[in-house]
Amino acid sequence: MDKPRLSALSSVIEASKPAGIPIADHQQHALSAQVLHNLQYQHDWTSLQLHTQSPIDKRPLAKPLVSGLPPHRIYVHPDEQIEMLKERIQEEDIPAEREWVLPTHLRERWSLRKFAEVFDSITEVPIAAKEDGQGEQKDSTETKETKNRRGGKRLLLATAGDDSTIVYYVVHDGIVKPRQN
């Protein structure tokens, strides 16, 4: 009797599963693959990457992170929002920025300490890896615009439920003044 075909997501998770890793790490990897798949196919993100090492000191991350480029700007800092209103600039006219995404499951318990550990291990803006002519990944340089992003470090908290629903929340490192409505 033939096995049933895997779903598109299950195929992605199986194809990218590293060999010889513990079950707990496999669950984290599967969750990260699920979030990456959701961002790519449901939310039209591009240049997606899975990160398992800190870009600061190359130590292994406690949890894998995803980075990518959303189709539009995820967050506009309140000071930038005021400037946009004065200059009559539309939000659609502002280029998107690479964002960090932290895949989590609804049953996970998060504390301020755990968030601080994540923020301590990342740069303000994810650095996209570029392929050189021989297919090897190299870190690209940050531009002035992305290096001096207003509001400091932030990430999207991607929380997956048992029914595969994923919700996204913007989380900042520290206090950020509220947006103007």
Side-chain angles (χ1 to χ4, degrees):
M1 187 169 173
D2 291 334
K3 283 184 175 180
R5 285 184 49 185
L6 294 175
S7 69
L9 177 58
S10 295
S11 298
V12 168
I13 291 170
E14 280 300 312
S16 63
K17 180 172 73 171
I21 61 171
I23 295 294
D25 289 344
H26 174 65
Q27 290 170 340
Q28 290 297 325
H29 174 76
L31 178 62
S32 299
Q34 178 184 358
V35 168
L36 196 142
H37 187 271
N38 180 264
L39 290 169
Q40 183 175 3
Y41 294 107
Q42 298 298 316
H43 298 286
D44 299 324
W45 282 44
T46 57
S47 303
L48 288 161
Q49 289 179 256
L50 184 64
H51 301 267
T52 56
Q53 293 181 332
S54 168
I56 295 172
D57 57 15
K58 304 297 183 207
R59 289 186 189 163
L61 293 168
K63 289 181 65 67
L65 293 170
V66 174
S67 71
L69 191 62
H72 55 81
R73 195 83 165 275
I74 297 294
Y75 175 79
V76 178
H77 189 272
D79 292 341
E80 195 174 9
Q81 189 180 35
I82 291 168
E83 289 174 17
M84 289 171 52
L85 289 171
K86 286 179 185 174
E87 300 291 326
R88 299 179 195 265
I89 298 172
Q90 299 296 315
E91 244 182 270
E92 305 85 49
D93 297 333
I94 299 175
E97 298 174 317
R98 280 190 75 77
E99 298 287 348
W100 287 109
V101 181
L102 174 60
T104 63
H105 191 274
L106 191 58
R107 286 188 236 135
E108 289 182 59
R109 299 274 183 202
W110 280 85
S111 64
L112 292 176
R113 180 183 305 244
K114 285 174 75 174
F115 278 116
E117 289 170 2
V118 171
F119 280 115
D120 288 346
S121 68
I122 62 174
T123 54
E124 191 167 315
V125 178
I127 299 171
K130 289 185 176 177
E131 282 192 14
D132 66 9
Q134 296 152 2
E136 293 186 26
Q137 299 264 327
K138 291 187 173 184
D139 288 344
S140 68
T141 56
E142 294 179 11
T143 64
K144 184 179 178 187
E145 298 85 39
T146 59
K147 195 170 187 175
N148 298 319
R149 174 159 67 183
R150 291 188 184 165
K153 292 181 183 179
R154 68 171 180 257
L155 57 79
L156 286 179
L157 179 67
T159 304
D162 290 332
D163 64 354
S164 298
T165 302
I166 301 174
V167 295
Y168 298 91
Y169 298 94
V170 177
V171 180
H172 292 269
D173 183 22
I175 299 173
V176 177
K177 76 183 196 182
R179 289 179 61 146
Q180 303 293 314
N181 288 331

